[in-house]
Amino acid sequence: MTKDVIALTARMPDPLTVLAGLLSGGPDKLVHTAGQDAVVRLCDERGRPLVSVEAPLLVQVAGEAERLLGASAPPVPFWWTEARATTGVAEAERLAGTFAARLASLAGGTAWPPEAARSLAVVPSENASAGASQGVVVAPPADAGSPAVDVLTEQVAVVIADRPVVAMTAWLADAFRAAAEGGLGLQVVSPAGTTLSPAVRSALSDWPSRWVVQDERDGYYDGLSGAVLAWQGGMFAPVPAEGSGPEEDSVPGEPRARVAASYQEGVRDTGERQLAVTFRTVRPADDRLVLGGALEAVWRELTGAAPAGWGTAEPANLPWSPRRLTDVAFERAPEPTWAVVVGGPERPGLATVRVGRTTAGVEEEVTLAFGYGPDEEPPLDAVRRAAEVLATRHHLQSMLVQLRKARRDLAVPPRFEGPGVPVAFVLGAEEVRAMPGDRARRTPLAEAPVPLGATNRPALYYPLPGDPSDLSGWRDFERLMRHLKGE
């Protein structure tokens, strides 16, 4: 299995420190660079990459090592350097471990996982026969694909992730891009007990992309749907159900699939909740435009503070700055920009932001969630205030707020979690104005919509039940959507 090894150091690994790490395979080994020289590879004598090392990342956001690795890190700012060992090569994992151990020793820090980085000694090659060169040569250009992809077929790219949280790391983001450019799905394989970052969950929603969880009883299953999977036709696909009975109930959306037993076990209400907010804004593209203000406004209304940090991958490494987010999006335009935003350890919060140019202007699509423990109350009274701020100051198009029975730490487990229940839906002022007649003001719901903003051009706030134990909220939401569409 592919192994990720990470050095968390107080000082930046300088070129000599990195060189000492790269010599973990001996003084004769050469290296190859990829990804515009952002990735360094050690390769065997046949040109196969053994270890891929990414450029060190300066992390200035507290709590990211704990959230993603369950590991202690030096005080912020600290340096995060990843080495990824190649699947199926016995010496690769030891090379990666020795590389991380040397960086931690020379730059002052620790390596994760601790058991993978116990030795500073040179790792001898196991691939060279007697009299053959033991040097590692430069990989030919044809082999210089995404360093995160372990298996490539005509249908999917497969990434094997052996870490506590499958996060949207730079490695994984690169694999998603490479798969999309090749018209392939991406399937992420992880061991039992691993969780998924919310930043990755939505990216795996399109077939045949999947989160594949290894399981002792059923072999493999989809961590999001529970469908039992097997490798067939060049990808992981559902195993058809046979017979009948509760253990072979079909999976919604995959009616012929059998549900894994592990997916259905341990499902109980712990009292933990998540408040999820999804919204879209559209603003004219001009020199005064600053992105991230809408997200910060909602974050402040719901938590009393601004986000802690952001980045274009996980870990989120930069202190929160709408201006810097704007600069990055401007540099990448007209290509879209994706970012992850996180809160402090005291209030788990995570958002993904997608910025793109359309004929209407600059769109921001935000998906945001906060976690609450059994003794904490989600601030539902602040939801309407947040909606009013978006409607009056940030050109809101639409907004949906849900309450879910789900983990406080926001990690997605490989077992059943109930759907969220709508708390409120908001329609922006321009969308209300575009509705024929008074359709937007009339409603099939028990409560009338509440105007937000200017009285002559208001946005409309539609209250919904929001009780996680009562799924009737979705029926009300669907009735409202059909009504607004004129169906």
Side-chain angles (χ1 to χ4, degrees):
M1 174 174 287
T2 303
K3 191 73 173 181
D4 296 341
V5 184
I6 301 168
L8 306 171
T9 60
R11 299 186 299 278
M12 178 182 179
D14 58 34
L16 289 178
T17 300
V18 174
L19 179 61
L22 292 173
L23 290 174
S24 58
D28 296 330
K29 292 192 169 44
L30 302 176
V31 299
H32 166 63
T33 61
Q36 297 180 338
D37 296 337
V39 176
V40 177
R41 288 172 168 169
L42 289 174
C43 308
D44 67 12
E45 70 276 3
R46 286 178 286 177
R48 297 180 306 170
L50 298 175
V51 177
S52 299
V53 180
E54 194 164 77
L57 179 71
L58 180 63
V59 177
Q60 303 175 65
V61 182
E64 286 296 88
E66 292 79 1
R67 179 175 73 88
L68 298 176
L69 303 176
S72 297
V76 292
F78 64 89
W79 293 88
W80 179 302
T81 308
E82 293 205 20
R84 183 173 174 83
T86 299
T87 301
V89 182
E91 67 185 286
E93 183 176 331
R94 296 196 297 276
L95 281 169
T98 300
F99 172 83
R102 289 185 175 190
L103 257 64
S105 175
L106 294 172
T110 60
W112 178 92
E115 63 273 12
R118 291 176 176 168
S119 174
L120 300 176
V122 170
V123 177
S125 172
E126 297 179 358
N127 296 311
S129 57
S133 169
Q134 296 188 26
V136 174
V137 300
V138 172
D143 291 342
S146 171
V149 173
D150 295 288
V151 178
L152 191 64
T153 73
E154 294 182 354
Q155 290 76 34
V156 297
V158 179
V159 173
I160 303 175
D162 185 11
R163 51 203 301 167
V165 179
V166 179
M168 189 61 81
T169 62
W171 299 107
L172 191 57
D174 179 65
F176 271 111
R177 283 191 294 269
E181 290 170 0
L184 305 175
L186 186 73
Q187 299 190 334
V188 180
V189 182
S190 68
T194 297
T195 61
L196 201 67
S197 164
V200 179
R201 181 175 187 166
S202 60
L204 291 173
S205 59
D206 295 332
W207 183 90
S209 297
R210 293 184 184 274
W211 177 24
V212 182
V213 180
Q214 296 175 322
D215 184 64
E216 291 184 354
R217 286 172 289 183
D218 290 302
Y220 300 93
Y221 69 92
D222 189 303
L224 298 178
S225 72
V228 175
L229 306 172
W231 184 258
Q232 46 191 328
M235 64 180 178
F236 285 98
V239 176
E242 298 178 359
S244 60
E247 71 280 5
E248 294 188 352
D249 291 341
S250 63
V251 176
E254 296 179 309
R256 298 179 61 242
R258 182 164 57 89
V259 183
S262 297
Y263 182 77
Q264 304 173 82
E265 293 176 349
V267 178
R268 60 188 181 91
D269 186 0
T270 63
E272 294 176 290
R273 296 288 186 270
Q274 289 179 13
L275 185 61
V277 182
T278 304
F279 65 88
R280 176 181 295 189
T281 64
V282 181
R283 285 175 291 173
D286 58 43
D287 294 339
R288 296 171 298 172
L289 176 64
V290 177
L291 301 171
L295 171 59
E296 180 174 333
V298 173
W299 206 295
R300 286 186 181 278
E301 288 292 339
L302 298 181
T303 71
W310 75 286
T312 55
E314 292 180 286
N317 65 309
L318 299 169
W320 173 244
S321 169
R323 174 55 64 184
R324 190 159 183 188
L325 172 61
T326 303
D327 291 343
V328 170
F330 180 79
E331 291 168 2
R332 295 185 174 188
E335 294 299 316
T337 294
W338 181 95
V340 60
V341 182
V342 298
E346 66 283 350
R347 171 59 60 214
L350 187 143
T352 59
V353 182
R354 181 179 174 84
V355 180
R357 287 291 301 270
T358 69
T359 55
V362 179
E363 291 191 359
E364 287 183 81
E365 298 180 21
V366 177
T367 300
L368 167 65
F370 296 108
Y372 302 88
D375 57 345
E376 299 174 313
E377 286 295 328
L380 299 181
D381 57 337
V383 168
R384 187 179 299 182
R385 295 198 305 270
E388 179 125 28
V389 171
L390 291 181
T392 56
R393 302 179 190 174
H394 298 284
H395 300 268
L396 176 69
Q397 263 197 336
S398 63
M399 174 180 179
L400 176 63
V401 183
Q402 302 175 59
L403 194 61
R404 300 182 62 226
K405 294 180 180 179
R407 292 169 51 144
R408 183 182 188 272
D409 64 6
L410 306 180
V412 181
R415 64 173 182 272
F416 176 77
E417 284 190 320
V421 176
V423 171
F425 177 74
V426 185
L427 197 62
E430 291 301 317
E431 285 62 39
V432 171
R433 185 168 178 261
M435 288 273 180
D438 62 346
R439 181 191 299 168
R441 292 170 177 79
R442 291 184 289 110
T443 173
L445 306 179
E447 294 188 55
V450 179
L452 303 176
T455 55
N456 62 334
R457 187 176 288 187
L460 292 178
Y461 178 97
Y462 299 86
L464 293 161
D467 182 356
S469 62
D470 182 5
L471 295 183
S472 64
W474 275 116
R475 291 193 292 271
D476 288 341
F477 178 69
E478 290 169 359
R479 288 169 58 211
L480 175 62
M481 291 299 101
R482 289 196 299 268
H483 169 76
L484 294 176
K485 293 175 182 177
E487 298 177 358

mmCIF file of all heavy atoms in Angstrom, residues 355-384:
data_model
loop_
_atom_site.group_PDB
_atom_site.id
_atom_site.type_symbol
_atom_site.label_atom_id
_atom_site.label_comp_id
_atom_site.label_asym_id
_atom_site.label_seq_id
_atom_site.Cartn_x
_atom_site.Cartn_y
_atom_site.Cartn_z
ATOM 1 N N VAL A 355 -14.693 30.015 -6.914
ATOM 2 C CA VAL A 355 -14.846 31.327 -7.546
ATOM 3 C C VAL A 355 -14.722 31.148 -9.050
ATOM 4 O O VAL A 355 -13.778 30.515 -9.534
ATOM 5 C CB VAL A 355 -13.777 32.320 -7.055
ATOM 6 C CG1 VAL A 355 -13.951 33.673 -7.730
ATOM 7 C CG2 VAL A 355 -13.826 32.454 -5.544
ATOM 8 N N GLY A 356 -15.672 31.685 -9.801
ATOM 9 C CA GLY A 356 -15.625 31.570 -11.260
ATOM 10 C C GLY A 356 -16.235 32.777 -11.940
ATOM 11 O O GLY A 356 -17.038 33.506 -11.344
ATOM 12 N N ARG A 357 -15.837 32.997 -13.183
ATOM 13 C CA ARG A 357 -16.393 34.073 -13.989
ATOM 14 C C ARG A 357 -17.537 33.531 -14.830
ATOM 15 O O ARG A 357 -17.423 32.474 -15.451
ATOM 16 C CB ARG A 357 -15.323 34.663 -14.894
ATOM 17 C CG ARG A 357 -14.289 35.515 -14.187
ATOM 18 C CD ARG A 357 -14.864 36.805 -13.668
ATOM 19 N NE ARG A 357 -15.452 37.628 -14.712
ATOM 20 C CZ ARG A 357 -14.785 38.541 -15.406
ATOM 21 N NH1 ARG A 357 -13.499 38.776 -15.136
ATOM 22 N NH2 ARG A 357 -15.382 39.253 -16.334
ATOM 23 N N THR A 358 -18.653 34.247 -14.883
ATOM 24 C CA THR A 358 -19.780 33.917 -15.734
ATOM 25 C C THR A 358 -20.219 35.181 -16.462
ATOM 26 O O THR A 358 -19.677 36.269 -16.223
ATOM 27 C CB THR A 358 -20.966 33.359 -14.915
ATOM 28 O OG1 THR A 358 -21.523 34.428 -14.112
ATOM 29 C CG2 THR A 358 -20.515 32.228 -14.000
ATOM 30 N N THR A 359 -21.211 35.036 -17.325
ATOM 31 C CA THR A 359 -21.724 36.215 -18.017
ATOM 32 C C THR A 359 -22.368 37.191 -17.048
ATOM 33 O O THR A 359 -22.475 38.392 -17.333
ATOM 34 C CB THR A 359 -22.753 35.790 -19.072
ATOM 35 O OG1 THR A 359 -23.778 35.002 -18.434
ATOM 36 C CG2 THR A 359 -22.090 34.963 -20.164
ATOM 37 N N ALA A 360 -22.803 36.701 -15.876
ATOM 38 C CA ALA A 360 -23.445 37.570 -14.886
ATOM 39 C C ALA A 360 -22.438 38.325 -14.029
ATOM 40 O O ALA A 360 -22.790 39.313 -13.379
ATOM 41 C CB ALA A 360 -24.373 36.753 -13.992
ATOM 42 N N GLY A 361 -21.202 37.862 -13.983
ATOM 43 C CA GLY A 361 -20.188 38.510 -13.152
ATOM 44 C C GLY A 361 -19.287 37.481 -12.497
ATOM 45 O O GLY A 361 -18.971 36.440 -13.081
ATOM 46 N N VAL A 362 -18.883 37.745 -11.270
ATOM 47 C CA VAL A 362 -18.026 36.837 -10.504
ATOM 48 C C VAL A 362 -18.892 36.095 -9.492
ATOM 49 O O VAL A 362 -19.530 36.710 -8.638
ATOM 50 C CB VAL A 362 -16.904 37.610 -9.778
ATOM 51 C CG1 VAL A 362 -16.045 36.652 -8.957
ATOM 52 C CG2 VAL A 362 -16.047 38.362 -10.784
ATOM 53 N N GLU A 363 -18.910 34.774 -9.612
ATOM 54 C CA GLU A 363 -19.721 33.945 -8.720
ATOM 55 C C GLU A 363 -18.862 33.322 -7.632
ATOM 56 O O GLU A 363 -17.755 32.859 -7.893
ATOM 57 C CB GLU A 363 -20.422 32.823 -9.494
ATOM 58 C CG GLU A 363 -21.511 33.282 -10.428
ATOM 59 C CD GLU A 363 -22.344 32.129 -10.956
ATOM 60 O OE1 GLU A 363 -22.050 30.967 -10.586
ATOM 61 O OE2 GLU A 363 -23.283 32.380 -11.725
ATOM 62 N N GLU A 364 -19.387 33.315 -6.422
ATOM 63 C CA GLU A 364 -18.791 32.569 -5.316
ATOM 64 C C GLU A 364 -19.797 31.524 -4.850
ATOM 65 O O GLU A 364 -20.914 31.865 -4.460
ATOM 66 C CB GLU A 364 -18.447 33.492 -4.153
ATOM 67 C CG GLU A 364 -17.248 34.383 -4.371
ATOM 68 C CD GLU A 364 -16.932 35.214 -3.142
ATOM 69 O OE1 GLU A 364 -16.290 34.681 -2.210
ATOM 70 O OE2 GLU A 364 -17.344 36.389 -3.102
ATOM 71 N N GLU A 365 -19.407 30.272 -4.903
ATOM 72 C CA GLU A 365 -20.213 29.171 -4.377
ATOM 73 C C GLU A 365 -19.558 28.686 -3.093
ATOM 74 O O GLU A 365 -18.402 28.264 -3.107
ATOM 75 C CB GLU A 365 -20.310 28.029 -5.377
ATOM 76 C CG GLU A 365 -20.979 28.398 -6.686
ATOM 77 C CD GLU A 365 -21.037 27.227 -7.637
ATOM 78 O OE1 GLU A 365 -20.931 26.074 -7.172
ATOM 79 O OE2 GLU A 365 -21.171 27.462 -8.853
ATOM 80 N N VAL A 366 -20.290 28.751 -1.993
ATOM 81 C CA VAL A 366 -19.730 28.427 -0.682
ATOM 82 C C VAL A 366 -20.522 27.301 -0.045
ATOM 83 O O VAL A 366 -21.761 27.336 -0.007
ATOM 84 C CB VAL A 366 -19.751 29.662 0.245
ATOM 85 C CG1 VAL A 366 -19.244 29.294 1.638
ATOM 86 C CG2 VAL A 366 -18.917 30.793 -0.350
ATOM 87 N N THR A 367 -19.811 26.292 0.444
ATOM 88 C CA THR A 367 -20.403 25.234 1.260
ATOM 89 C C THR A 367 -19.705 25.263 2.611
ATOM 90 O O THR A 367 -18.483 25.102 2.677
ATOM 91 C CB THR A 367 -20.237 23.857 0.601
ATOM 92 O OG1 THR A 367 -20.891 23.872 -0.673
ATOM 93 C CG2 THR A 367 -20.857 22.774 1.455
ATOM 94 N N LEU A 368 -20.452 25.467 3.671
ATOM 95 C CA LEU A 368 -19.892 25.747 5.000
ATOM 96 C C LEU A 368 -20.569 24.876 6.043
ATOM 97 O O LEU A 368 -21.773 24.618 5.962
ATOM 98 C CB LEU A 368 -20.114 27.226 5.326
ATOM 99 C CG LEU A 368 -19.905 27.732 6.751
ATOM 100 C CD1 LEU A 368 -18.452 27.594 7.156
ATOM 101 C CD2 LEU A 368 -20.357 29.188 6.844
ATOM 102 N N ALA A 369 -19.803 24.392 7.020
ATOM 103 C CA ALA A 369 -20.386 23.611 8.116
ATOM 104 C C ALA A 369 -19.667 23.933 9.420
ATOM 105 O O ALA A 369 -18.443 24.144 9.437
ATOM 106 C CB ALA A 369 -20.306 22.118 7.829
ATOM 107 N N PHE A 370 -20.431 23.961 10.518
ATOM 108 C CA PHE A 370 -19.896 24.097 11.872
ATOM 109 C C PHE A 370 -20.360 22.911 12.701
ATOM 110 O O PHE A 370 -21.485 22.412 12.517
ATOM 111 C CB PHE A 370 -20.377 25.399 12.527
ATOM 112 C CG PHE A 370 -19.903 26.646 11.851
ATOM 113 C CD1 PHE A 370 -20.770 27.432 11.123
ATOM 114 C CD2 PHE A 370 -18.576 27.031 11.933
ATOM 115 C CE1 PHE A 370 -20.338 28.592 10.488
ATOM 116 C CE2 PHE A 370 -18.118 28.180 11.309
ATOM 117 C CZ PHE A 370 -19.007 28.961 10.577
ATOM 118 N N GLY A 371 -19.505 22.463 13.633
ATOM 119 C CA GLY A 371 -19.836 21.315 14.471
ATOM 120 C C GLY A 371 -20.131 21.725 15.900
ATOM 121 O O GLY A 371 -19.518 22.658 16.441
ATOM 122 N N TYR A 372 -21.072 20.980 16.545
ATOM 123 C CA TYR A 372 -21.510 21.276 17.911
ATOM 124 C C TYR A 372 -21.638 19.974 18.693
ATOM 125 O O TYR A 372 -22.115 18.960 18.173
ATOM 126 C CB TYR A 372 -22.861 22.016 17.900
ATOM 127 C CG TYR A 372 -22.813 23.307 17.129
ATOM 128 C CD1 TYR A 372 -23.067 23.325 15.755
ATOM 129 C CD2 TYR A 372 -22.458 24.501 17.741
ATOM 130 C CE1 TYR A 372 -22.983 24.503 15.025
ATOM 131 C CE2 TYR A 372 -22.373 25.684 17.024
ATOM 132 C CZ TYR A 372 -22.640 25.678 15.661
ATOM 133 O OH TYR A 372 -22.550 26.836 14.934
ATOM 134 N N GLY A 373 -21.194 20.013 19.952
ATOM 135 C CA GLY A 373 -21.286 18.857 20.812
ATOM 136 C C GLY A 373 -22.654 18.711 21.446
ATOM 137 O O GLY A 373 -23.538 19.569 21.272
ATOM 138 N N PRO A 374 -22.880 17.623 22.214
ATOM 139 C CA PRO A 374 -24.187 17.381 22.827
ATOM 140 C C PRO A 374 -24.642 18.500 23.755
ATOM 141 O O PRO A 374 -25.849 18.704 23.927
ATOM 142 C CB PRO A 374 -23.974 16.075 23.598
ATOM 143 C CG PRO A 374 -22.797 15.429 22.957
ATOM 144 C CD PRO A 374 -21.923 16.540 22.499
ATOM 145 N N ASP A 375 -23.698 19.209 24.370
ATOM 146 C CA ASP A 375 -24.045 20.280 25.298
ATOM 147 C C ASP A 375 -23.972 21.661 24.648
ATOM 148 O O ASP A 375 -23.977 22.675 25.358
ATOM 149 C CB ASP A 375 -23.117 20.240 26.513
ATOM 150 C CG ASP A 375 -21.636 20.336 26.121
ATOM 151 O OD1 ASP A 375 -21.330 20.138 24.922
ATOM 152 O OD2 ASP A 375 -20.817 20.586 27.010
ATOM 153 N N GLU A 376 -23.905 21.727 23.323
ATOM 154 C CA GLU A 376 -23.823 22.993 22.596
ATOM 155 C C GLU A 376 -25.041 23.143 21.679
ATOM 156 O O GLU A 376 -25.461 22.179 21.034
ATOM 157 C CB GLU A 376 -22.547 23.064 21.754
ATOM 158 C CG GLU A 376 -21.267 22.992 22.569
ATOM 159 C CD GLU A 376 -20.042 22.919 21.690
ATOM 160 O OE1 GLU A 376 -20.036 22.106 20.741
ATOM 161 O OE2 GLU A 376 -19.084 23.668 21.936
ATOM 162 N N GLU A 377 -25.570 24.340 21.615
ATOM 163 C CA GLU A 377 -26.732 24.603 20.780
ATOM 164 C C GLU A 377 -26.316 25.331 19.505
ATOM 165 O O GLU A 377 -25.711 26.405 19.579
ATOM 166 C CB GLU A 377 -27.764 25.456 21.540
ATOM 167 C CG GLU A 377 -28.532 24.708 22.609
ATOM 168 C CD GLU A 377 -29.424 23.620 22.037
ATOM 169 O OE1 GLU A 377 -29.936 23.789 20.913
ATOM 170 O OE2 GLU A 377 -29.593 22.590 22.719
ATOM 171 N N PRO A 378 -26.636 24.775 18.341
ATOM 172 C CA PRO A 378 -26.371 25.528 17.104
ATOM 173 C C PRO A 378 -27.127 26.856 17.123
ATOM 174 O O PRO A 378 -28.291 26.904 17.544
ATOM 175 C CB PRO A 378 -26.916 24.598 16.004
ATOM 176 C CG PRO A 378 -26.886 23.224 16.632
ATOM 177 C CD PRO A 378 -27.185 23.441 18.089
ATOM 178 N N PRO A 379 -26.516 27.942 16.694
ATOM 179 C CA PRO A 379 -27.129 29.268 16.807
ATOM 180 C C PRO A 379 -28.167 29.522 15.707
ATOM 181 O O PRO A 379 -27.971 30.364 14.816
ATOM 182 C CB PRO A 379 -25.920 30.202 16.671
ATOM 183 C CG PRO A 379 -24.984 29.454 15.778
ATOM 184 C CD PRO A 379 -25.158 27.998 16.126
ATOM 185 N N LEU A 380 -29.299 28.839 15.809
ATOM 186 C CA LEU A 380 -30.326 28.987 14.773
ATOM 187 C C LEU A 380 -30.907 30.396 14.748
ATOM 188 O O LEU A 380 -31.374 30.852 13.700
ATOM 189 C CB LEU A 380 -31.443 27.958 15.002
ATOM 190 C CG LEU A 380 -31.004 26.476 14.935
ATOM 191 C CD1 LEU A 380 -32.202 25.569 15.146
ATOM 192 C CD2 LEU A 380 -30.323 26.177 13.611
ATOM 193 N N ASP A 381 -30.860 31.087 15.897
ATOM 194 C CA ASP A 381 -31.389 32.448 15.927
ATOM 195 C C ASP A 381 -30.536 33.411 15.100
ATOM 196 O O ASP A 381 -30.988 34.499 14.720
ATOM 197 C CB ASP A 381 -31.475 32.949 17.368
ATOM 198 C CG ASP A 381 -30.133 32.906 18.091
ATOM 199 O OD1 ASP A 381 -29.264 32.124 17.668
ATOM 200 O OD2 ASP A 381 -29.963 33.655 19.064
ATOM 201 N N ALA A 382 -29.282 33.012 14.799
ATOM 202 C CA ALA A 382 -28.393 33.879 14.024
ATOM 203 C C ALA A 382 -28.507 33.640 12.525
ATOM 204 O O ALA A 382 -27.935 34.392 11.735
ATOM 205 C CB ALA A 382 -26.941 33.664 14.461
ATOM 206 N N VAL A 383 -29.221 32.580 12.132
ATOM 207 C CA VAL A 383 -29.302 32.244 10.714
ATOM 208 C C VAL A 383 -29.954 33.372 9.921
ATOM 209 O O VAL A 383 -29.470 33.767 8.860
ATOM 210 C CB VAL A 383 -30.068 30.921 10.530
ATOM 211 C CG1 VAL A 383 -30.425 30.701 9.066
ATOM 212 C CG2 VAL A 383 -29.241 29.749 11.051
ATOM 213 N N ARG A 384 -31.059 33.928 10.445
ATOM 214 C CA ARG A 384 -31.744 34.987 9.712
ATOM 215 C C ARG A 384 -30.870 36.242 9.611
ATOM 216 O O ARG A 384 -30.854 36.915 8.579
ATOM 217 C CB ARG A 384 -33.080 35.325 10.363
ATOM 218 C CG ARG A 384 -33.912 36.306 9.537
ATOM 219 C CD ARG A 384 -35.244 36.602 10.192
ATOM 220 N NE ARG A 384 -36.065 35.415 10.342
ATOM 221 C CZ ARG A 384 -37.294 35.419 10.857
ATOM 222 N NH1 ARG A 384 -37.833 36.568 11.281
ATOM 223 N NH2 ARG A 384 -37.987 34.303 10.970
#
